[in-house]
Amino acid sequence: MAATMTIHMSLLFTILAVISSLLAVESGDTNHIYWPCSDTTVQRSDGFTFAIAFASRTAFFFNNNNSLQLSPCDSRLALSNQGSQISVFRPKVDEISLLTINTSSFSPDNYGGYMVAFAGRKYAARSLPAFVANSTYTVTSFTLVLEFKKGRLQNLYWKRDGCAKCTGNNNFVCLNNQDCAIRTSNCKNHGGSVDCSLGIQLAFSGTDKHFAVLNSWYEVENLRQYSLFGLYANLRDSLTSQYSKIF
């Protein structure tokens, strides 16, 4: 365990030792770094480990004026003292993936309502904080792009479509002209009937360590006019299915 990683990991669905034992034998995976707070370079079809931390927006900043955002791997944030939670993922490089976080026993609004995606230590990269939920609204659909240069992660950023997929749908509210949200009171984890589990569509851009171009983000851009939900049959009961397949 990296000394700087202080986030409490008792919740959510991945233990790194399990990831290591299950994926080390996967063919074509040359990346044997499984801890998100370690540095690595990757090629296409490698596994790549990154994580998402849940906390309040201000918890991700080191100074009082919120101008210096640190990686959740940095112990100066002391996220564990603020009740933050973490989820760890290992997608394949340059494959379009749909990541899910089951909220049946986890309410993001109880842990600050914002999330930051991150990976790396010396070459730490982190996304800007993205709003997930508060007592009034919950956002369930996100697109995250991992940008690499020569196989090393440079940036993680959230892509938004300006509420294009929920305009005119009374089941959703458009927040800040960028996120489609549902009322939190309608979510199952708050007594409602809708499964508000988070869905994160993941894509890659840039180049791998062999200078091969990562194309999955461009594929996602081309597919944004269609529903990608049919590719993920095991999520048919998610919010996407219940409300007009907004992916």
Side-chain angles (χ1 to χ4, degrees):
M1 179 177 292
T4 57
M5 190 60 177
T6 59
I7 301 174
H8 181 54
M9 297 185 65
S10 63
L11 187 65
L12 306 177
F13 49 73
T14 305
I15 299 175
L16 286 174
V18 176
I19 293 178
S20 178
S21 63
L22 290 178
L23 296 180
V25 297
E26 186 168 343
S27 61
D29 189 350
T30 68
N31 177 28
H32 302 301
I33 300 299
Y34 300 96
W35 181 242
C37 289
S38 296
D39 297 311
T40 189
T41 57
V42 295
Q43 64 185 20
R44 294 180 68 178
S45 298
D46 276 351
F48 180 77
T49 303
F50 77 99
I52 295 176
F54 294 86
S56 66
R57 187 181 185 282
T58 56
F60 296 109
F61 293 86
F62 181 61
N63 52 357
N64 293 329
N65 61 3
N66 293 340
S67 62
L68 179 60
Q69 183 189 346
L70 299 180
S71 167
C73 295
D74 196 314
S75 60
R76 288 177 292 175
L77 293 183
L79 291 180
S80 61
N81 297 331
Q82 303 180 51
S84 61
Q85 298 295 320
I86 184 174
S87 186
V88 180
F89 301 94
R90 190 175 173 87
K92 276 193 172 184
V93 174
D94 210 27
E95 288 191 3
I96 301 172
S97 303
L98 184 66
L99 312 177
T100 62
I101 298 176
N102 188 341
T103 59
S104 60
S105 59
F106 167 64
S107 298
D109 52 304
N110 290 337
Y111 296 94
Y114 282 79
M115 64 180 177
V116 165
F118 64 96
R121 187 175 184 179
K122 180 180 178 181
Y123 301 97
R126 71 274 189 259
S127 72
L128 291 173
F131 171 77
V132 182
N134 58 22
S135 59
T136 306
Y137 299 113
T138 295
V139 180
T140 64
S141 179
F142 300 87
T143 298
L144 178 65
V145 180
L146 276 62
E147 182 179 26
F148 288 79
K149 182 178 181 180
K150 299 179 182 178
R152 190 177 300 283
L153 182 66
Q154 302 292 306
N155 193 17
L156 307 96
Y157 53 95
W158 305 102
K159 295 290 291 186
R160 295 178 164 94
D161 65 0
C163 299
K165 297 297 177 62
C166 63
T167 301
N169 189 330
N170 293 330
N171 293 312
F172 291 95
V173 175
C174 182
L175 300 181
N176 302 316
N177 294 317
Q178 62 181 14
D179 291 316
C180 297
I182 187 174
R183 296 190 183 277
T184 302
S185 58
N186 291 333
C187 296
K188 286 183 178 179
N189 56 2
H190 287 79
S193 60
V194 178
D195 180 356
C196 291
S197 294
L198 306 186
I200 302 171
Q201 185 175 294
L202 183 71
F204 295 79
S205 69
T207 56
D208 76 357
K209 64 183 181 181
H210 301 302
F211 301 95
V213 176
L214 306 178
N215 293 312
S216 59
W217 166 240
Y218 304 103
E219 295 170 4
V220 168
E221 280 284 81
N222 291 332
L223 289 169
R224 286 172 81 91
Q225 60 184 308
Y226 306 109
S227 171
L228 297 182
F229 182 80
L231 299 176
Y232 308 103
N234 61 325
L235 298 178
R236 61 173 58 90
D237 293 328
S238 71
L239 173 65
T240 307
S241 172
Q242 297 173 68
Y243 283 144
S244 302
K245 301 180 181 179
I246 63 171
F247 285 146

